[in-house]
Amino acid sequence: MCSKPVVILGNGGHAKVLIDLLLLQKKDIVGYSAPAEENNPYQLPYIGDDHDVVHKFNPEDIQLVNAIGSVTNTNTRKRIFNFFKSKGYSFLTVVHPSAVISPNAKLKEGAQIMAGAVVQASCLIGENTIVNTKASIDHDCKIGNHVHLAPGVTLSGSVWIGDETHVGTGATVIQNIRIGNHCLIGAGALVIRDIGDNKKAFGVPAREMR
Ligand SMILES: CC(C)(COP(=O)(O)OP(=O)(O)OC[C@H]1O[C@@H](n2cnc3c(N)ncnc32)[C@H](O)[C@@H]1OP(=O)(O)O)[C@@H](O)C(=O)NCCC(=O)NCCS
């Protein structure tokens, strides 16, 4: 079955990296959406905003790529994903050719596994979640929906990460740790204890901020 043409949602830094990946895979990119026609080094056709995508394309004719990045807050990515899902659209699950994915890892809709990432046996990666450049996820990890594992994150085996949590660049999490929903783990943190929902933690070892 031929894959459907792709529409990119967003035009920031994460979008550029995804476009590189999609061009490498010879995907048919019909254009990008953004609030304004700018930041378009690839000269892709500009579609308009999110509502213009809905007006111009039937859900069954295209697949979407959520190219909204997130530095600490995954809300915008989640809102856009849910908006288009509610209108019947589907999201492409993206895997860079240099990523190593266990045959029995499960990637849910719209997951994005970027260059050099490793996803080991029996892992689950949730909907709309980014496993960013060179992040490494060891066996039996369960990663929720709308999560961002930033570049260079290292998760040991059997780590659970809740929905909408951001794990900052280069953070490390030891085995069997559970991190809740809506957490923010700082860049370079070393997480050695469980972290509950809605917490911000950073440092070595990571401590929750009041
Ligand atoms: C944890 C984080 C969110 C804190 O942001 P913040 O609340 O705005 O904190 P501030 O920058 O005001 O810093 C407050 C203090 O915490 C320290 N601090 C901030 N982030 C830290 C981190 N990751 N590790 C250790 N200390 C940190 C600062 O040095 C500062 O200390 P000081 O008061 O002694 O000077 C942020 O630094 C971070 O790590 N973000 C993740 C970025 C990321 O993953 N980007 C990925 C893009 S793809």
Side-chain angles (χ1 to χ4, degrees):
M1 191 183 76
C2 280
S3 62
K4 293 178 183 176
V6 165
V7 167
I8 311 281
L9 307 174
N11 63 342
H14 189 54
K16 283 188 209 170
V17 179
L18 282 165
I19 292 165
D20 277 349
L21 194 172
L22 296 167
L23 291 174
L24 192 64
Q25 297 181 329
K26 305 203 183 315
K27 296 281 185 203
D28 175 12
I29 303 175
V30 290
Y32 74 100
S33 71
E37 185 174 7
E38 55 189 12
N39 299 333
N40 183 13
Y42 297 88
Q43 305 295 309
L44 295 174
Y46 175 61
I47 293 166
D49 65 15
D50 295 340
H51 296 280
D52 293 317
V53 174
V54 173
H55 288 134
K56 291 179 183 173
F57 299 98
N58 291 320
E60 56 274 14
D61 294 337
I62 57 163
Q63 277 201 301
L64 302 176
V65 171
N66 191 350
I68 308 296
S70 71
V71 174
T72 54
N73 186 326
T74 61
N75 275 347
T76 308
R77 273 184 68 80
K78 177 187 162 195
R79 183 174 50 72
I80 286 186
F81 183 86
N82 288 341
F83 169 78
F84 282 101
K85 286 301 291 177
S86 73
K87 307 252 176 235
Y89 292 86
S90 62
F91 282 79
L92 185 67
T93 299
V94 174
V95 178
H96 194 280
S98 68
V100 176
I101 312 283
S102 162
N104 74 2
K106 186 170 178 206
L107 311 181
K108 294 182 90 173
E109 181 178 349
Q112 298 173 345
I113 316 298
M114 309 305 286
V118 178
V119 179
Q120 295 285 26
S122 302
C123 286
L124 172 67
I125 309 296
E127 283 180 350
N128 197 35
T129 279
I130 307 172
V131 179
N132 220 329
T133 312
K134 288 185 81 176
S136 173
I137 305 180
D138 229 286
H139 61 88
D140 298 295
C141 287
K142 304 283 177 261
I143 314 299
N145 300 323
H146 318 291
V147 169
H148 183 186
L149 304 179
V153 163
T154 301
L155 305 185
S156 306
S158 301
V159 169
W160 288 36
I161 308 272
D163 294 340
E164 297 165 52
T165 281
H166 175 93
V167 184
T169 304
T172 298
V173 184
I174 68 165
Q175 74 285 349
N176 302 324
I177 291 291
R178 293 187 179 217
I179 297 177
N181 300 318
H182 310 112
C183 288
L184 171 52
I185 307 300
L190 173 61
V191 182
I192 59 169
R193 296 202 174 83
D194 290 353
I195 293 178
D197 293 340
N198 306 307
K199 303 288 189 203
K200 181 164 155 182
F202 60 74
V204 179
R207 302 205 186 280
E208 291 177 16
M209 288 182 78
R210 288 176 193 279

